[in-house]
Amino acid sequence: MHLDGTPDDAGCVTIINKTSTIGVIESVSFTVVDGPEKAAVRSDAAAHCEPTGDPPCQEVRVKTGYQCLAGAVLPSNAPEGDYTVQPAVHFRYVCVNAEDAPCNEVKDWKGPPPTAESPVEVSGWTTNNVPQVTMHIGASSPSPDTSTDTSDAPSEEG
């Protein structure tokens, strides 16, 4: 699938339609692939993401070169730490030509290939080219050591 994206640290990802066919991004689901535990992640339709002007990736029609925004939320009781989360994009396209992407990736049409007069809907999901996002739960990252260095202070010898 020719989808692409850009992640940010708030558990948000922009999904870009790089195919030559208008598609519908049905949803984006998320799975923890690394972290303190395999917490159940839920999609919040980008409600917590920084506004970009892009629509949420939920039953949205996305033209070639356009994009939508999806967001992941870890459960409030997840252990503290850093989590790597993999988005999976659930999509559907109406193919009217077997030559255009993503229709050209269908290996077996199980019948005649699509035409404008006889279109074929393809659907599925992919993680290809969809970047992982990193999320952090807990206190902010440790700040640099700010302890007082007393090596230059006069010592008391007894």
Side-chain angles (χ1 to χ4, degrees), residues 30-41 74-75 77-79 82-86 132:
F30 298 89
T31 305
V32 171
V33 293
D34 189 38
E37 75 172 23
K38 300 292 184 193
V41 185
L74 289 164
N77 63 349
D82 291 324
Y83 292 81
T84 303
V85 179
Q86 177 64 61
Q132 294 179 337

Side-chain angles (χ1 to χ4, degrees), residues 29-140:
S29 60
F30 298 89
T31 305
V32 171
V33 293
D34 189 38
E37 75 172 23
K38 300 292 184 193
V41 185
R42 68 177 174 83
S43 174
D44 75 344
H48 76 279
C49 300
E50 186 73 28
T52 61
D54 297 314
C57 295
Q58 195 168 348
E59 288 297 327
V60 64
R61 187 174 178 264
V62 183
K63 296 179 188 176
T64 301
Y66 286 78
Q67 57 198 31
C68 59
L69 186 63
V73 176
L74 289 164
S76 59
N77 63 349
E80 290 187 1
D82 291 324
Y83 292 81
T84 303
V85 179
Q86 177 64 61
V89 179
H90 305 264
F91 60 83
R92 72 177 183 267
Y93 290 90
V94 175
C95 297
V96 295
N97 180 337
E99 313 301 313
D100 293 336
C103 307
N104 61 350
E105 295 180 34
V106 175
K107 294 185 182 355
D108 182 5
W109 287 103
K110 306 234 187 273
T115 63
E117 296 77 31
S118 184
V120 176
E121 184 176 280
V122 295
S123 62
W125 62 273
T126 186
T127 58
N128 291 347
N129 300 320
V130 181
Q132 294 179 337
V133 294
T134 302
M135 300 173 73
H136 179 79
I137 291 185
S140 298

